Amino acid sequence: MSESSVLQSLRDTLSAIEADGHRRRPVLPFGVPAVDERLANGGLRLDALHEVAAATPAMGDDASATLFLAGVAARAWGPVLWVVRRRDLFAPGLYQSGLAPDRVLYAEASDDSEVLALMEEGLRHRALGAVIGETRRAAMASTRRLQLAAEGGRTIALLLKRHAREGADPLAVPSAAVTRWRVGSAPSAPLPVAGVGRARWDLALVRQRNGEPFQTIVEACDETGRIALPARLVDRPAAAGRAGARAAA
């Protein structure tokens, strides 16, 4: 066999290995093109750690971040392990975001170290669709362990970084997470009749591996765990097209 043939054979083998690697990295898309198209992987990698923090320590923002996590877990494939430090989760609220009570296993930890240890154990179990933990502090080494535990599997790791003190940024500490999100409540649009429209969130992707950060307004998760773009944002491209056509005329 000639040298060029050997090299080509090696290239073909490496290409096949790389392709297999991509297939072994399944993603969980949001189902919103305006969001998925801006994510480096077209969605959230299932074999990875993702961090979420509330925009402020306010209860409304904390609830928004929690329900955002619930919506992601709701669309995962199997049982969900949720490791908490305090018993403040409202099961009916999680259910309204698509996460049914019979899918959730709760574990209460005494401190952040125990939260992280239980999360790692859950990720290595490989029989869970999602593992969620709530901490105030997580060092780089701890997040790296979670990322390594998630790699090679299909259990998405979700870490809620709670505010440790007023004015401190939970996402300021370096992390091995593939994506880092900040979620806050945003004003809801009123319905045509008396009442309040679907809740809205100010959703910011602060950091993502191999991609750029972005920020947008979305409607909160529905009963299937899916977010949506507000109507005015969905209609914006069409409106721009109509304006351009009028200008050309």
Side-chain angles (χ1 to χ4, degrees):
M1 183 181 294
S2 66
E3 183 177 351
S4 60
S5 299
V6 172
L7 289 175
Q8 185 59 49
S9 177
L10 286 172
R11 292 191 187 101
D12 293 342
T13 300
L14 289 173
S15 296
I17 292 173
E18 290 173 357
D20 288 340
H22 280 295
R23 284 196 293 270
R24 286 196 296 268
R25 294 190 183 277
V27 300
L28 182 67
F30 285 97
V32 179
V35 175
D36 292 333
E37 290 171 359
R38 301 173 77 174
L39 290 169
N41 296 287
L44 298 176
R45 270 179 49 187
L46 288 177
D47 65 335
L49 171 66
H50 307 274
E51 283 186 355
V52 177
T56 72
M59 184 177 297
D61 289 344
D62 188 77
S64 297
T66 301
L67 293 177
F68 174 76
L69 285 173
V72 173
R75 294 181 292 107
W77 60 270
V80 175
L81 172 64
W82 200 312
V83 188
V84 299
R85 286 284 311 277
R86 57 193 188 192
R87 302 180 185 181
D88 60 350
L89 289 176
F90 186 55
L94 302 183
Y95 186 50
Q96 289 179 350
S97 293
L99 188 55
D102 59 0
R103 289 187 56 200
V104 186
L105 305 170
Y106 295 102
E108 187 173 358
S110 58
D111 54 30
D112 287 346
S113 297
E114 191 171 359
V115 169
L116 297 168
L118 289 171
M119 288 185 66
E120 184 177 348
E121 186 69 22
L123 291 168
R124 295 190 185 282
H125 186 52
R126 297 296 196 239
L128 300 168
V131 171
I132 305 174
E134 307 172 10
T135 66
R136 292 184 181 275
R137 296 176 181 85
M140 180 67 170
S142 298
T143 60
R144 187 179 292 115
R145 288 181 64 91
L146 292 179
Q147 175 58 34
L148 290 173
E151 287 183 356
R154 295 178 60 246
T155 304
I156 190 168
L158 303 169
L159 184 61
L160 177 60
K161 299 292 290 294
R162 292 190 179 274
H163 288 257
R165 63 182 184 276
E166 191 73 26
D169 182 4
L171 300 181
V173 179
S175 170
V178 171
T179 66
R180 307 184 82 185
W181 301 81
R182 185 174 284 115
V183 186
S185 56
S188 300
L191 295 172
V193 295
V196 179
R198 185 171 168 182
R200 291 183 177 182
W201 296 334
D202 185 350
L203 183 64
L205 178 58
V206 178
R207 173 190 173 275
Q208 65 168 322
R209 191 177 300 175
N210 301 322
E212 297 296 324
F214 65 86
Q215 185 172 4
T216 188
I217 300 296
V218 298
E219 292 185 337
C221 296
D222 61 12
E223 66 279 2
T224 68
R226 298 185 180 279
I227 58 173
L229 282 187
R232 63 179 180 83
L233 295 181
V234 174
D235 294 340
R236 184 177 294 173
R242 290 193 295 270
R246 286 196 297 270

